[in-house]
Amino acid sequence: MKRKQWGRSAISLMIISGLILGGCSSGTGGKKDTAPEGAASNAVSKEGFPIVQEPIKLKMFTRIAPVNGPFKDMPVFQDYEKMSNVQVEFIEAPTDGFQEKKNLLFASNELPDVLYRSGLTPLEAVRYGAGGQLIPLEDLIRDYAPNLTRLMEEYPEIRAAITTPEGHIYAIPGIVTLGSARTDKKWINRAWLEKLKLQVPETTDELYDVLVAFRDQDPNGNGQKDEIPMTARVGLHIVTMMSGSFGLDQQFGYNINIVDDKVEIWMGSERNKEMLMYLNKLYKEKLLDPEVFSHTEAQYLAKQGSGKTGVFFDQTNNNFLPIADQYEGMAPPAGPHGDRMQSQASPVPRDPGAYAITSENKHPEASIRWIDYFYSDEGSTLLRFGREGEHYELKDGIPYYKEEYSTSETQPKITPYAGGGAPHLISEQVSSYINPPQVQDAQKKLDPFMPEIRYAAPMFDEKTAQEVNILRNDIDKYYEEQSTKFIAGALSFDKWEEFQSTLKKMKMDQLQQLYQDAYDKMKK
Amino acid sequence: MNNMEAPPGANLPPSRPNRGSRLLVQMAKRYDLYLMLLLPIAWYLIFHYGPLYGLQIAFKNFNPAKGIFGSEWVGFEHFTRFFDSYYFWRLLRNTLTINLISLLLAFPIPIMLALLVNEIRSKAYSKWLQNITYIPHFISVVVIVGILTVMLSVNGPLNMLIQTFGGDPVRFMESASWFKTIFIGSNIWQNMGWQSIIYIAALSGINPQLYEAAKIDGASRMRRIWHVSLPGIVPVIVILLILDVGQFMNIGFEKILLMQNNLNLEASDVISTFVYTTGILKGEYSYTAAIGLFNSVINLTLLLLVNRFARKTSETSLW
């Protein structure tokens, strides 16, 4: 009893300082040159396989989603090891707590060779890159990654999104050339609409009426009021999905509008107030799922497949396949000022920081060669579909999963892309599963309303990145908490001015200026 | 508990001029005991004092690649940032109120329970009561919060009950005004039995003759509790109070974190969870080390104050 209490009394210090205990060894560990010593005897081939003649070993730290099985059992890694002569040992960390484990790796300087599917934010990439824990990749990419180089030439925004002002690339993103894999579709229950003889809503007011009908008129016909008119991922996903109807864009991966070369962070704007009031109305009248701020991802996915939801948002129809024919995609509804935009849309480099090489790595060339394969259609097919004949079949040159691997239980076990964020190329060629005709149709509804240009989160230099980080830590926490409270009605809109002035006090203007500078630099 | 009341040095004879060598002689005589002492000392040095050197990152811009010693000094920058932060007052207020209310409500209840158990004549019944009350202590925090979430959800049993009596369902877990009640209430429910064990043990150590004497003098049951039982366990109460104050600022970190959401953050955001979410999840090690240090300094001050107060008023104290 007593000892426990003594231990606790120092816990906050202990956590911080104890974790860093290993940091003292960095004097010797961190100074490794990026030049590989073993390279002379075991040359890395510039093309073709195997990558190296003598087998080498790499330790990769990776995130494993709840739906995945162990990576070592996946056909792609088994086959690729034989092809490439690179043996990969995966250190798997589950999605829950992944961020924490990743940070601790860096803080304790006990680094793996590679971070795979690591979701490093641009801020993290710059911080750890400038600190020397991640090595710059731009020369390696030029010399050893033909597929990636070709993609970067075809889509110049990729290079812009991942290169720091100093010209370094510290992490490689997951690249998505398929438009429909960059948006969350707005799925609406067509069966219910037909039953209640309603039209697909074209405006936010019509959407409101439809949701009221869903709530009151028992569209699933079981005599109970168990319908959930509208739901979304936990938290402020609903804001991301609806903001386009209120003229609020999502540039730079943040709450930013860009009008006439002017960057505007819209969190304190009147438009945002209108949107929050609209969402508050939906929430208050139980049109928006009361659990939208508390349910887990698994519960949300279960709701998609339950047939009890009217409107929800997701990239594909994979989570509700058995009842997919009930639903169809709809266009963004027009807002009170006539705004009609699909503001939620990811850039081509969709998953930032998906692959990075640390200073511990003795084989950086081989590591780059290893990942580059997955940025070709051939490699991506292996990663996403496994072995031809065993897991997939080709129809007209396009791979399709065999029956037994096309369910939401079996499919995520054979590929590391399920669960998101894997470093590879997602193109038309490899998208039969995530882009079936139904999803294509839903995307077509969105297409006319897509923003002309989609800027990825900008790369700042180290000092600015730190500044942005400090500002955003406070502002984002405040914004998320207050928005949630506005929507849930825990905070009245009388407090709006206070909300605005607090944002100002937290130096939102300064943050806006930093983004403006980044934008100006990019335009030059 | 033993080494608190009788520290190892207490048995030494009064000091003489050649004290150092006498001490060595004494130690040599009882070398086996001192060898046993080595282990706890090593534990404290390695796990409690050793990591203290990392504290310096509170005054530096910690960069993992440069290590703790290599990072540059920035003085009190992180402290100023925290004191100027929007969250400073809220964190301090929540940390203090949650702990103060816990102390006021949760501290006396185990004492009352112990007195109650002590007065029950039927052995079987008192054992049964003890077991029932301390079993919840062994449930993990995660499970407790899971139970709370289910019991208090909008469609949960409690809200069903409220609705059958014509009330409107209450979003207990998602409201700032309910947070402290739920948090402290469930803490009391979970821990009162366990914490009463020490008091029950202390009560059983009271000389039965005192009770008999009181009975003969015609003291009622309440009188006997008031004049015999309570004074008998006052030293234990004081020591436990001081120990509780010792962890004043850090209580229930895991549980608060698990119960936190954006809707109750107004009441549930405390220093220790802030350190975790900002420090570990967002990688701001120096900033949160400074916050943690600030937290510990307050805690230490409180501990010293309470200890001094206890020494003056009741002659019982930690040191």
Side-chain angles (χ1 to χ4, degrees):
Chain A
M1 194 80 199
K2 180 194 162 202
R3 179 150 299 164
K4 188 175 154 200
Q5 283 168 337
W6 274 106
R8 284 238 183 127
S9 76
I11 195 161
S12 50
L13 291 175
M14 285 275 298
I15 289 178
I16 300 289
S17 45
L19 295 170
I20 290 152
L21 196 58
C24 59
S25 63
S26 65
T28 50
K31 275 183 190 149
K32 266 181 203 122
D33 244 347
T34 50
E37 294 102 32
S41 59
N42 191 12
V44 176
S45 62
K46 288 217 169 190
E47 54 192 40
F49 288 101
I51 294 172
V52 283
Q53 294 309 315
E54 298 294 316
I56 57 168
K57 280 193 175 135
L58 290 177
K59 265 193 192 158
M60 296 198 185
F61 177 72
T62 189
R63 177 171 68 82
I64 176 166
V67 289
N68 296 137
F71 276 26
K72 65 172 168 40
D73 296 341
M74 289 178 176
V76 46
F77 296 122
Q78 291 172 346
D79 290 11
Y80 195 48
E81 181 175 321
K82 284 177 214 138
M83 258 172 88
S84 64
N85 253 349
V86 176
Q87 298 167 355
V88 176
E89 182 196 330
F90 282 106
I91 306 161
E92 292 163 351
T95 303
D96 267 348
F98 175 77
Q99 180 68 11
E100 186 178 335
K101 292 215 178 63
K102 178 176 71 180
N103 282 343
L104 293 183
L105 282 183
F106 283 106
S108 60
N109 213 10
E110 284 170 11
L111 297 167
D113 293 319
V114 164
L115 291 120
Y116 183 89
R117 200 194 199 188
S118 48
L120 291 164
T121 64
L123 297 178
E124 286 172 332
V126 170
R127 182 193 291 167
Y128 298 131
Q133 290 179 299
L134 298 178
I135 62 167
L137 306 175
E138 60 278 4
D139 295 341
L140 291 169
I141 292 175
R142 189 192 55 219
D143 296 340
Y144 292 95
N147 294 317
L148 200 53
T149 309
R150 189 177 45 76
L151 278 171
M152 280 163 50
E153 273 157 16
E154 200 175 330
Y155 300 93
E157 62 259 51
I158 299 175
R159 190 180 290 278
I162 60 175
T163 310
T164 66
E166 294 88 359
H168 293 309
I169 294 172
Y170 292 117
I172 304 172
I175 294 174
V176 182
T177 57
L178 173 76
S180 98
R182 302 203 299 264
T183 56
D184 277 353
K185 319 294 175 293
K186 296 169 160 55
W187 297 105
I188 189 163
N189 198 322
R190 193 186 51 206
W192 290 5
L193 287 175
E194 278 165 10
K195 186 164 180 206
L196 305 177
K197 302 199 170 49
L198 294 165
Q199 296 295 313
V200 176
E202 294 284 323
T203 67
T204 47
D205 288 339
E206 284 175 31
L207 176 64
Y208 172 78
D209 294 336
V210 165
L211 294 177
V212 170
F214 282 174
R215 181 191 63 189
D216 295 337
Q217 297 179 23
D218 190 26
N220 66 359
N222 64 355
Q224 282 173 339
K225 261 192 166 190
D226 56 353
E227 292 87 358
I228 305 170
M230 176 150 92
T231 188
R233 283 213 155 70
V234 68
L236 294 182
H237 183 226
I238 185 74
V239 165
T240 329
M241 294 316 301
M242 295 299 295
S243 69
S245 300
F246 294 82
L248 306 168
D249 205 352
Q250 308 276 337
Q251 294 290 0
F252 286 134
Y254 197 46
N255 303 315
I256 285 179
N257 272 352
I258 300 177
V259 186
D260 303 333
D261 290 333
K262 271 242 171 321
V263 172
E264 188 214 355
I265 298 180
W266 49 253
M267 293 186 286
S269 71
E270 285 307 307
R271 289 296 183 87
N272 187 27
K273 185 181 177 186
E274 273 178 47
M275 173 180 65
L276 291 175
M277 286 174 97
Y278 178 76
L279 293 176
N280 171 244
K281 185 168 77 169
L282 298 187
Y283 187 88
K284 220 168 35 195
E285 300 183 17
K286 299 211 164 56
L287 300 172
L288 182 58
D289 186 357
E291 291 178 337
V292 72
F293 297 119
S294 56
H295 60 197
T296 62
E297 176 74 6
Q299 285 168 327
Y300 172 60
L301 297 184
K303 280 175 193 176
Q304 290 190 7
S306 71
K308 286 182 187 170
T309 29
V311 180
F312 58 84
F313 313 94
D314 208 340
Q315 181 202 319
T316 66
N317 60 0
N318 296 3
N319 295 308
F320 55 99
L321 272 182
I323 52 162
D325 54 348
Q326 279 187 33
Y327 288 88
E328 70 175 19
M330 71 175 188
H337 303 280
D339 295 294
R340 211 170 179 191
M341 182 167 48
Q342 168 70 12
S343 61
Q344 184 279 334
S346 308
V348 173
R350 185 187 74 177
D351 305 315
Y355 189 86
I357 299 179
T358 72
S359 55
E360 295 290 304
N361 192 320
K362 294 201 188 74
H363 312 283
E365 291 89 353
S367 303
I368 279 288
R369 275 278 281 132
W370 187 87
I371 195 63
D372 184 58
Y373 181 58
F374 298 112
Y375 289 93
S376 65
D377 281 340
E378 187 192 329
S380 184
T381 305
L382 174 63
L383 182 131
R384 295 174 74 88
F385 290 89
R387 302 182 188 110
E388 185 176 359
E390 188 179 342
H391 304 103
Y392 73 90
E393 287 164 333
L394 285 174
K395 288 178 203 157
D396 306 326
I398 303 276
Y400 288 86
Y401 286 113
K402 293 183 95 170
E403 191 90 29
E404 59 265 40
Y405 292 107
S406 61
T407 71
S408 50
E409 281 85 41
T410 51
Q411 185 262 351
K413 300 278 184 291
I414 59 163
T415 167
Y417 95 78
H424 70 304
L425 167 70
I426 304 176
S427 61
E428 289 270 0
Q429 170 71 21
V430 295
S431 57
S432 64
Y433 189 64
I434 57 166
N435 201 26
Q438 187 182 19
V439 176
Q440 288 173 28
D441 287 345
Q443 178 60 31
K444 273 181 206 135
K445 298 272 176 54
L446 300 180
D447 279 337
F449 308 105
M450 297 291 282
E452 277 170 42
I453 239 181
R454 173 59 56 192
Y455 296 106
M459 295 298 280
F460 298 105
D461 61 77
E462 191 197 359
K463 200 174 139 286
T464 320
Q466 188 59 29
E467 226 175 307
V468 170
N469 196 19
I470 288 178
L471 289 169
R472 274 192 54 176
N473 272 352
D474 272 7
I475 293 176
D476 292 359
K477 183 178 155 94
Y478 182 73
Y479 164 76
E480 279 164 29
E481 185 184 336
Q482 301 309 101
S483 304
T484 307
K485 288 204 283 199
F486 279 127
I487 295 173
L491 193 65
S492 112
F493 283 94
D494 303 342
K495 301 268 181 178
W496 184 257
E497 265 116 64
E498 200 183 307
F499 174 69
Q500 284 174 313
S501 69
T502 310
L503 282 176
K504 200 160 224 158
K505 239 185 278 166
M506 293 178 158
K507 301 185 193 144
M508 199 176 75
D509 296 346
Q510 196 181 329
L511 183 63
Q512 186 167 303
Q513 191 55 47
L514 291 173
Y515 275 100
Q516 179 77 55
D517 293 346
Y519 176 81
D520 294 344
K521 234 177 251 169
M522 215 168 54
K523 283 274 133 179
K524 264 174 207 166
Chain B
M1 300 294 298
N2 261 340
N3 61 349
M4 232 182 297
E5 279 139 32
N11 293 332
L12 289 177
S15 58
R16 305 250 173 95
N18 54 350
R19 195 173 144 190
S21 64
R22 278 201 59 90
L23 181 68
L24 279 182
V25 172
Q26 283 286 338
M27 284 176 75
K29 257 191 215 160
R30 298 256 181 271
Y31 72 95
D32 38 2
L33 291 180
Y34 284 97
L35 276 181
M36 279 166 69
L37 189 63
L38 268 184
L39 213 59
I41 287 181
W43 156 269
Y44 274 103
L45 284 182
I46 294 170
F47 292 107
H48 289 234
Y49 287 93
L52 280 181
Y53 87 101
L55 259 187
Q56 53 179 296
I57 67 166
F59 307 95
K60 286 180 160 181
N61 260 342
F62 174 61
N63 176 340
K66 289 184 194 154
I68 292 177
F69 287 105
S71 303
E72 47 166 334
W73 292 95
V74 293
F76 283 90
E77 190 185 297
H78 299 298
F79 291 89
T80 349
R81 183 181 151 201
F82 180 54
F83 298 144
D84 291 342
S85 157
Y86 170 81
Y87 299 104
F88 174 68
W89 288 109
R90 181 168 94 174
L91 291 168
L92 198 63
R93 191 181 60 232
N94 283 332
T95 311
L96 289 176
T97 48
I98 290 181
N99 288 293
L100 203 65
I101 300 173
S102 290
L103 203 60
L104 288 179
L105 293 178
F107 188 74
I109 286 179
I111 303 178
M112 292 187 228
L113 183 68
L115 291 171
L116 188 76
V117 168
N118 196 44
E119 292 301 317
I120 293 174
R121 291 230 184 89
S122 150
K123 264 270 178 266
Y125 181 58
S126 91
K127 284 272 172 258
W128 181 78
L129 182 67
Q130 273 195 57
N131 281 328
I132 294 277
T133 49
Y134 81 58
I135 279 174
H137 175 81
F138 297 101
I139 307 175
S140 110
V141 185
V142 181
V143 178
I144 292 274
V145 175
I147 294 175
L148 286 174
T149 316
V150 172
M151 297 292 284
L152 302 175
S153 78
V154 183
N155 306 315
L158 192 62
N159 269 316
M160 295 278 193
L161 205 69
I162 292 176
Q163 274 167 306
T164 42
F165 287 106
D168 285 328
V170 183
R171 303 180 159 276
F172 291 103
M173 297 300 277
E174 289 155 19
S175 98
S177 51
W178 277 101
F179 174 78
K180 284 175 183 143
T181 319
I182 296 169
F183 176 75
I184 295 168
S186 59
N187 264 359
I188 294 178
W189 167 75
Q190 193 185 2
N191 291 322
M192 64 176 176
W194 182 257
Q195 284 165 350
S196 70
I197 290 179
I198 293 176
Y199 298 116
I200 293 173
L203 280 170
S204 67
I206 295 175
N207 191 342
Q209 288 180 342
L210 290 175
Y211 286 106
E212 279 164 30
K215 229 188 241 172
I216 290 165
D217 287 345
S220 68
R221 211 163 242 255
M222 289 313 283
R223 283 281 146 201
R224 270 178 274 152
I225 291 178
W226 187 250
H227 289 290
V228 181
S229 302
L230 261 183
I233 58 169
V234 157
V236 179
I237 295 179
V238 172
I239 294 288
L240 285 183
L241 181 70
I242 297 173
L243 289 179
D244 263 15
V245 172
Q247 54 146 2
F248 190 74
M249 303 286 278
N250 300 306
I251 197 165
F253 158 74
E254 302 93 338
K255 192 167 164 193
I256 297 182
L257 191 73
L258 287 167
M259 288 174 67
Q260 238 171 27
N261 56 50
N262 269 329
L263 290 169
N264 66 20
L265 214 51
E266 189 66 43
S268 65
D269 208 10
V270 296
I271 293 183
S272 48
T273 57
F274 187 80
V275 166
Y276 171 77
T277 48
T278 316
I280 308 284
L281 294 186
K282 292 182 184 157
E284 293 223 38
Y285 304 108
S286 285
Y287 178 46
T288 46
I291 300 175
L293 181 59
F294 166 76
N295 192 31
S296 299
V297 166
I298 293 193
N299 209 340
L300 182 67
T301 322
L302 280 173
L303 183 65
L304 290 174
L305 282 177
V306 172
N307 189 58
R308 212 174 132 166
F309 182 72
R311 197 171 49 203
K312 279 203 170 149
T313 52
S314 71
E315 292 168 355
T316 313
S317 65
L318 272 186
W319 64 86

